[in-house]
Each structure stands twice: as structure tokens, then as C-alpha cells.
Amino acid sequence: MVGMGRMGSFTERRAARLYESLLGEVLGLGHVRKAAIVLIGAHSGTLKLRQTARALIHGFDAALETMAAPPGASFTPEVLLIELDRLRAEKIQKALYDFARESTESRPRRN
């Protein structure tokens, strides 16, 4: 990762697109079972931690809805979020759970 544009221009919407592209590329490979990432955008001072977590959930949701895994891939890869600061990791985990629950509850049910 070399940069996300001019300082201050990285928005939650752009972060969601980045996460959608990231997971889309992993899905497109078809053989990756695990991937590790860091929370992108929250350290720059541009986005708050909760905005970045919401962007990750929305981006990954979009990727899973629009991008099919290649033929023969019968799994969704496990994505590990890496954070060294324990308190920050706990805040990230709570935000991700909150937004994932909201995302699941707002999704139309399929019969």
C-alpha cells in the first residue's frame, strides 16, 4: 500500500470501495483460504475507528454480494484483522460486531 490519495481525502466511502476491491481480489484468486489485513484508514487521522470498521463491513458485504468465487472454489476465505494494541483491538472488535449485526439485520431475508 503506497497511499490512499491526498492527505484528508480518504473518506468512509472510499474506504468501503477499497475493502470491496481487496476482498474481491482475494476471492478472484480462488485458492486463498486465509488473508491478513490491518484496519486501513483509521491511523491517518482522516477516519475515526468506527467509520473505518463500518467501511470494512460495507465493503466486504458488497464484495460477497457482487463477486462470485471462481469455479471450483467452495469456500469463503477467512480474513484476519491484525492489531497490536490490545485496547484498540477490543474497540475494533466491538465496532465490527456492531456493524456486522446491523448489516445482517437490515438485509432482506431470502426464502
Side-chain angles (χ1 to χ4, degrees), residues 20-32 63 67-71 73 75 77:
E20 179 179 358
S21 295
L22 178 73
L23 186 58
E25 291 299 321
V26 170
L27 290 170
L29 292 172
H31 65 276
V32 176
M67 299 175 186
F75 59 88

Side-chain angles (χ1 to χ4, degrees), residues 11 58 60 64 74 82 86 101:
T11 63
H58 289 173
F60 278 16
L64 292 171
S74 60
I82 307 300
R86 182 182 172 132
R101 187 178 58 249

